[in-house]
Amino acid sequence: MSDKVDAYIAALDGWQADTAKLLRQQIAAAGDLAEDFKWGHPMWSAGGAVCLFKSFKSHMTFAFWRGAQLTDLDPRLEPGGSFNMAAIKLTGPDQITSNEVGRLVAAAIALNREHGDPMKTARA
C-alpha cells in the first residue's frame, strides 16, 4: 500500500471517497498488483500498467491501459488516449460493483500476461 494513495483517498469526500475505497480494495483483491502513485493519481501494475482511478470535481474516472480490449466486459468503457486506453466515468455512488471491478482488473492483468507491458508494446 502506498502512503500517497492513502493521502489521495483521505482528501476525497462523500461518494468519491467511498468509491475510491471500494476500487482500491477490489483492485488489490483481483490479483498480484503493485500499487503506485504516478501522474497525480493512484495506479496499479502487473506485468506493466493495468489501471488507475482519478477524481475530478464532479466525477471519477476508472481507466485501463488496455481498456479498449475490455469493452465487451463493460460497455461503459469509452476508448480514448494512448495505449488502447478506455475509461468508465463514474458520476455518483454505487455505479460500479465489486464484481465488476474484479472482473475488469483480472481481465486486464491477463491481457498484460499475454501481450506484455502496454506502455512498452505501444512504442515498439
Side-chain angles (χ1 to χ4, degrees):
M1 295 271 196
S2 164
D3 291 342
K4 289 183 180 180
V5 175
D6 289 340
Y8 185 91
I9 294 172
L12 299 175
D13 293 320
W15 73 267
Q16 287 188 339
D18 295 339
T19 301
K21 290 172 190 171
L22 171 102
L23 290 173
R24 185 186 202 188
Q25 179 184 32
Q26 295 307 311
I27 291 166
D32 187 20
L33 292 121
E35 180 179 273
D36 205 349
F37 192 85
K38 291 186 179 180
W39 309 294
H41 51 75
M43 59 97 43
W44 288 263
S45 59
V50 172
C51 63
L52 63 90
F53 65 77
K54 188 169 183 172
S55 178
F56 297 89
K57 185 175 181 178
S58 62
H59 73 279
M60 289 184 77
T61 298
F62 182 36
F64 294 85
W65 268 262
R66 295 187 182 280
Q69 295 171 274
L70 300 172
T71 56
D72 58 326
L73 291 178
D74 195 317
R76 297 176 295 175
L77 281 162
E78 294 189 28
S82 304
F83 311 110
N84 283 319
M85 288 194 85
I88 298 172
K89 184 177 181 179
L90 305 169
T91 58
D94 304 321
Q95 290 188 343
I96 194 157
T97 68
S98 298
N99 289 339
E100 290 168 331
V101 174
R103 185 176 68 241
L104 287 166
V105 174
I109 293 169
L111 285 170
N112 278 5
R113 284 189 188 125
E114 182 178 349
H115 300 289
D117 184 341
M119 295 177 75
K120 291 181 180 173
T121 57
R123 287 184 241 146

